[in-house]
Amino acid sequence: GFHTLDHLILPTLDDAAMKTAVTHGRHQLAEAARTNVRFFAYPHGRTDTRSARVVRDAGFDAAFTGRPRAVRRRHERYAIGRWEPGPLCVDDLLVKLTTYLHRRDVPNGVLRWSAW
């Protein structure tokens, strides 16, 4: 996905600067990757309703925040939570993931992913 070129915090920008940040460089990334760039990750994980609207209007299929939360069926697809475990070995990752899922309100400890 796309993450902007300058990693500016989108909610701090005016509308014109935000639109530029969300779109400038996307075409070049798509050309380099030889595929459409369908997803967006907010710089520093920060978003608000205005930046989510700009990302949606730019044609992205979904966008990820820095908030660690499980995906729900009716979840806003321009504010999907993202959990980052940090640099861990596989065993530590599995323990941390199991603990994380066990503490969350996730039916049977299973996250359901939807295709957009």
Side-chain angles (χ1 to χ4, degrees):
F2 191 59
H3 192 61
T4 79
L5 293 178
D6 297 317
H7 299 94
L8 301 174
I9 299 171
L10 296 183
T12 67
L13 304 176
D14 64 36
D15 290 347
M18 187 185 299
K19 184 176 179 179
T20 298
V22 167
T23 59
H24 182 69
R26 181 182 182 187
H27 178 72
Q28 291 86 344
L29 177 60
E31 283 184 347
R34 296 183 181 160
T35 189
N36 291 330
V37 179
R38 299 175 43 213
F39 301 101
F40 188 85
Y42 296 100
H44 307 278
R46 303 255 320 270
T47 187
D48 59 8
T49 52
R50 188 172 58 96
S51 53
R53 179 179 29 82
V54 169
V55 169
R56 182 195 68 226
D57 291 349
F60 290 95
D61 290 344
F64 299 86
T65 73
R67 290 183 218 113
R69 59 183 183 194
V71 176
R72 304 285 186 232
R73 181 178 300 277
R74 298 186 192 275
H75 196 87
E76 167 56 46
R77 65 181 178 161
Y78 294 96
I80 298 171
R82 173 178 71 214
W83 174 65
E84 296 186 31
L88 301 171
C89 69
V90 173
D91 290 340
D92 290 340
L93 172 63
L94 292 174
V95 168
K96 194 168 184 178
L97 181 60
T98 301
T99 303
Y100 177 80
L101 291 175
H102 183 69
R103 290 181 182 167
R104 299 290 180 224
D105 180 24
V106 180
N108 301 322
V110 175
L111 288 177
R112 297 181 188 268
W113 299 96
S114 299
W116 288 291

